[in-house]
Amino acid sequence: MVFENIGNYGNHEQVIFCHDKDTGLKGIIAIHDTTLGPALGGTRMWNYATEEDALIDVLRLSEGMTYKAAAAGLNLGGGKAVIIGDPKKDKSEGLFRAFGMYINALNGRYITAEDVGTSEADMEQVYAETPWVTGIPKGLGGSGDPSPYTAHGVLMAIKASCKEKLGSENLNGVRVAVQGLGNVGSNLVKYLIEEGAKVIVADIDQERVQKMADEFGCESMDPNEIHSAECDVFAPCALGAIINDQTIPQLQCKIVAGGANNMLAETKHGEALREVGILYAPDFVANAGGLMNVFAELEGYSVERALERTSAVYNNMMNIFSLAKRDNCSTHDAAFKFATQRLNTLGRLKRKHQGSTSRPFTTLKEVYNR
Ligand code: NAD
């Protein structure tokens, strides 16, 4: 089953199983592709029903990171890690230090960060054992929580989409429905309000809705109906698969652009949105701001540099829209085409000039200690 799954879910370079009996660590690191650089992707801690579920998740997520980094123009490969366990009950210093030792043994081929179920504090434990970790606390020279930068990138994606679909990137008076007011959604609302947008919000957590109403006077809607809000932009910032056979006929927006990963239930829904005349900002291009932010850590972090990188989401998105028009395909397909072309071109060059395109930095600790 293990090798069958590895074969079925992407053509991965390396999959590492991490087991430490004493600390209870059961983890998997998946390195999908290092053509463009070291594989970077967060560590997800989740109480998976089966070990097979954990394996499939890490294989899928790591492949997605390859395309996200490639489309974002970053010199990073795709990787991801999962730890099997309940993030509320099963965390310990030993567990994350043991995990850090496994990462360290990979010598920089895989760089981790926080993800669902892991925090800055967990990354600090990993950092005690390896320099190959980003998203560590600011006090240690890291950049902390990447969510505000993800939100900034999503704002850029919304602006590019408005320019393409409505003829102007000015968000003053533009109606945006935001689904999910967590780390990304709440930061996005702040940015949108600053730009003069009219924001409608929804979350299954009523306290979060109330906070946005109190702070910014946002209208709210039932979380089960927000996708059908009459608006210019629907911005999913909660779960994946919100764009599906049931929701597409109910959409009353002109644009879908948000932060959620895997927004389309299936690839065909990118084409379905095109058919009904709704512009889709491909999720892995729109939500790359967090990855851009941790990449800035590798270069020697500054907020200015991180914002410069996340601002590039605007041009990246405009390029995808042009490609989709040129090739008469969905924006989702265009984004994959763009990412694959970059991987192929640079992969060919690297093979031709083998050995001359190594990374400019040696360890992250050196970068942090500058
Ligand atoms: P989060 O857990 O902080 O927030 C998610 C919010 O969505 C919560 O407030 C939750 O109550 C709400 N929610 C859940 N189900 C809902 C529903 N049915 N209707 C309305 N609200 C619902 O997560 P986050 O870090 O803000 O991430 C949001 C999305 O963005 C996820 O899909 C994540 O994978 C993606 N993403 C996040 C980052 C990042 O930097 N945090 C980067 C890239 C992609």
Side-chain angles (χ1 to χ4, degrees), residues 44 68 115-116 145-151 179-186 202-205 208 223-224 226 236-240 259-262 287-291:
R44 180 164 294 193
K68 187 183 286 203
D115 195 70
V116 175
D145 175 16
S147 310
Y149 297 91
T150 303
Q179 179 190 44
L181 303 169
N183 294 319
V184 177
S186 60
D203 197 293
I204 47 172
D205 182 337
R208 291 184 173 182
N224 296 317
I226 184 83
C237 294
L239 307 175
N261 269 318
N262 305 323
N287 70 22
L291 183 63

